[in-house]
Each structure stands twice: as C-alpha cells, then as structure tokens.
C-alpha cells in the first residue's frame, strides 16, 4: 500500500472525529467549525495528499488511495475507530474508506457529496480538464469555481486563493481519481454505522436529489437539508453544519 503521511491539525479530546476537505481545497475550510466541535470530540483536520502541507506523489489520486492515507493517519495516531466526515470529494474518500475498512468506522458524514459515479461525459470532461490544468495551470479554475461553490461573494476571494495555491499536478491527479471512482449506490445498504447526509438546497455542483437518494438507502442514515446553503455549508451555515456533526458524534458514541 502506497500511503503518504498526511499533514493535519488536531483539537480537543474524546471520540476521534476526522473531517476531510473537498476538491481542490484544504483543511482550512473547516476552521470555522473548530470552536463548535472541539469540546465534543478529538477533532482531526488532515490535508489530503497533494494539498496544504501533505506530500504530493505523482500518479492518479484514487479515492481508495486517499482512504488508505486516512487509515495510515489513524494508525499513526493510534485511533482504532473514528467518525469520518467528508465534504464532496472528501465524501467520496469517506465512502471508499467505509467500503474498505468498515471495522475502523464509528460514524460517517457525507457533506455536499454523492454516491453515484460519474456519467461517461462527466468523466471525459474531468480527463480533459486534468490535461488543461497540467498545460496551463489552475488559474482558470481559481477564477471560475468559487462562484459555483457558493453564491456568498465574501467567500470568493479566500476560495480563489485556496484553489490558486493547489499544485496543478495535484488538481489533475484528483480529477483523474474522481473520474475513476466506483458507484457506491449498490452497497450503501451495507453501511452499518450512523450516517449523516448533509446538503445545501442551493448546491450548484451536486444536486440535492443525490443527497436525498443516499439518505433513503442508508440503513442508519438521516438527511439534514440546509435551505440557505450551496456546496460549502461549513462556510455558509457553520453553526447548523456543526450542530448536525455534533449529533452524528453523539449517535456514534452513545447510539440514537
Ligand atoms: C468537490 O467539491 O470536492 C468536487 O467538486 C466534487 C466533484 O467534482 O465531483
């Protein structure tokens, strides 16, 4: 297994709660939640490989590879079981983790994410974009993506900066990994841990219906829909997002 040691921030103590960022961002998207969560859990915010201060090896970053990095982090911190919450691509990684390592999971959170794989056209778009980013850099992504992530203009400059700082190779490697991801719908029914599905009603990247579908198929799943949020509920509605995650931690620790 080709794991890399992930860079991470850590706060609080108690049940291990690992929050995974989405594409092409880093752990700082969760910063506004720390104050709401650190009294409830041992909060761990990693940078996925290639992002923030984590190493950036070459090759496609498959969701399974990223999940293996998370397992490596848990092993190095001697965490037997964790509540894993992933935003968007981080949700794809969380699903890959749930499939490969169900015994290491105490709870699961899927924030603005989905279980369906890419349609063939979407896969092709990602492969083309990966090639473009390698040729021309991430600038056009940094210009165009923030407005699709959120309509809250105050978040556009920091998001633009975050995306502009992502290395081109990392962005291309993630796009290839997302394009290759498997459909998870047919095995959602085997996830046996409490699972929060949280989605913004105004999400322009992943339609709300996909969250509703996942919640229906998860044996211990429930849906939290946030009317005034898009693809970035942790920035747009930090208190409500944190409250939903606190409930998940409670369910994982004490049962619901
Ligand atoms: C993300 O926010 O992580 C990505 O945009 C998800 C995707 O492109 O499927």
């Amino acid at each position: 297994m080709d794991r890399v040691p992930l860079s991470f921030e850590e706060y609080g103590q108690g049940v291990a709660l690992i929050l995974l960022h989405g594409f092409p961002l880093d752990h700082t998207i969760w910063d506004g939640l720390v104050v709401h969560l650190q009294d409830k859990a041992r909060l761990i915010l990693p940078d996925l490989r290639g992002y923030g201060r984590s190493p950036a090896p070459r090759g496609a970053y498959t969701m399974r590879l990223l999940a293996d990095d998370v397992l490596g982090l848990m092993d190095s911190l001697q965490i037997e079981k964790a509540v894993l919450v992933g935003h968007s691509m981080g949700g794809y990684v969380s699903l890959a983790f749930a499939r490969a390592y169900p015994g290491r999971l105490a709870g699961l959170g899927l924030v603005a994410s989905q279980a369906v794989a890419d349609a063939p056209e979407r896969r092709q778009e990602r492969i083309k974009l990966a090639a473009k980013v390698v040729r021309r850099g991430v600038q056009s992504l940094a210009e165009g993506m923030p407005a699709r992530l959120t309509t809250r203009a105050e978040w556009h400059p920091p998001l633009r900066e975050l995306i502009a700082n992502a290395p081109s190779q990392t962005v291309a490697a993630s796009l290839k990994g997302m394009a290759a991801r498997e459909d998870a719908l047919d095995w959602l029914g085997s996830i046996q841990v409490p699972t929060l599905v949280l989605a913004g009603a105004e999400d322009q990247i992943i339609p709300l219906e996909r969250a509703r579908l996942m919640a229906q198929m998860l044996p211990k799943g429930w849906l939290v829909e946030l009317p005034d949020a898009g693809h970035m509920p942790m920035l747009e509605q930090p208190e409500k997002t944190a409250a939903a995650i606190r409930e998940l931690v409670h369910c994982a620790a004490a049962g619901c």
Side-chain angles (χ1 to χ4, degrees):
M1 214 182 305
D2 180 23
R3 293 177 191 166
V4 300
L6 299 180
S7 158
F8 64 97
E9 302 284 338
E10 186 174 1
Y11 307 87
Q13 47 194 308
V15 178
L17 170 62
I18 303 177
L19 306 187
L20 302 180
H21 63 83
F23 166 87
L25 308 170
D26 71 17
H27 77 274
T28 58
I29 62 160
W30 300 110
D31 281 354
L33 266 56
V34 172
V35 65
H36 304 292
L37 295 175
Q38 64 182 353
D39 65 324
K40 181 80 179 171
R42 178 181 179 192
L43 182 59
I44 296 161
L45 311 183
D47 288 324
L48 295 173
R49 66 167 62 195
Y51 295 97
R53 293 185 303 277
S54 286
R58 293 196 162 257
Y61 292 177
T62 64
M63 301 305 107
R64 174 60 191 268
L65 206 50
L66 300 180
D68 287 346
D69 290 343
V70 174
L71 184 74
L73 177 64
M74 285 173 62
D75 287 346
S76 72
L77 294 173
Q78 298 179 330
I79 295 169
E80 182 52 35
K81 282 192 180 203
V83 176
L84 197 54
V85 175
H87 170 241
S88 201
M89 181 182 76
Y92 309 158
V93 178
S94 305
L95 284 170
F97 187 100
R99 185 163 206 179
Y101 309 112
R104 304 293 298 270
L105 207 56
L108 181 64
L110 302 165
V111 176
S113 196
Q114 61 188 337
V116 284
D118 284 348
E121 316 80 64
R122 180 82 186 113
R123 206 168 281 150
Q124 281 314 311
E125 278 169 23
R126 289 202 204 265
I127 302 298
K128 273 194 201 152
L129 181 59
K132 184 174 161 200
V133 161
V134 169
R135 274 198 322 273
R136 303 214 193 126
V138 296
Q139 207 48 45
S140 67
L141 199 64
E143 290 305 324
M145 197 166 173
R148 297 185 62 228
L149 292 174
T150 175
T151 54
R152 310 274 175 103
E154 70 272 23
W155 285 110
H156 293 169
L159 286 167
R160 201 175 297 133
E161 191 180 334
L162 208 51
I163 298 170
N165 285 336
S168 310
Q169 291 295 343
T170 293
V171 171
S174 307
L175 285 164
K176 288 179 196 162
M178 285 193 285
R181 76 186 192 283
E182 290 171 16
D183 200 288
L185 271 187
D186 60 346
W187 61 270
L188 282 184
S190 66
I191 296 178
Q192 289 305 324
V193 292
T195 305
L196 161 69
V197 179
L198 186 142
E202 299 165 3
D203 195 325
Q204 297 175 55
I205 293 185
I206 298 179
L208 182 59
E209 290 67 44
R210 302 213 180 150
R212 290 183 177 148
L213 180 65
M214 282 197 295
Q216 277 166 18
M217 299 177 83
L218 286 157
K220 295 185 181 164
W222 68 95
L223 177 64
V224 174
E225 287 185 20
L226 299 182
D228 294 320
H231 194 63
M232 301 299 296
M234 76 296 288
L235 305 181
E236 299 161 310
Q237 294 280 352
E239 288 90 0
K240 287 182 183 162
T241 302
I245 295 175
R246 285 175 73 93
E247 192 193 353
L248 170 65
V249 171
H250 173 76
C251 287
C256 282

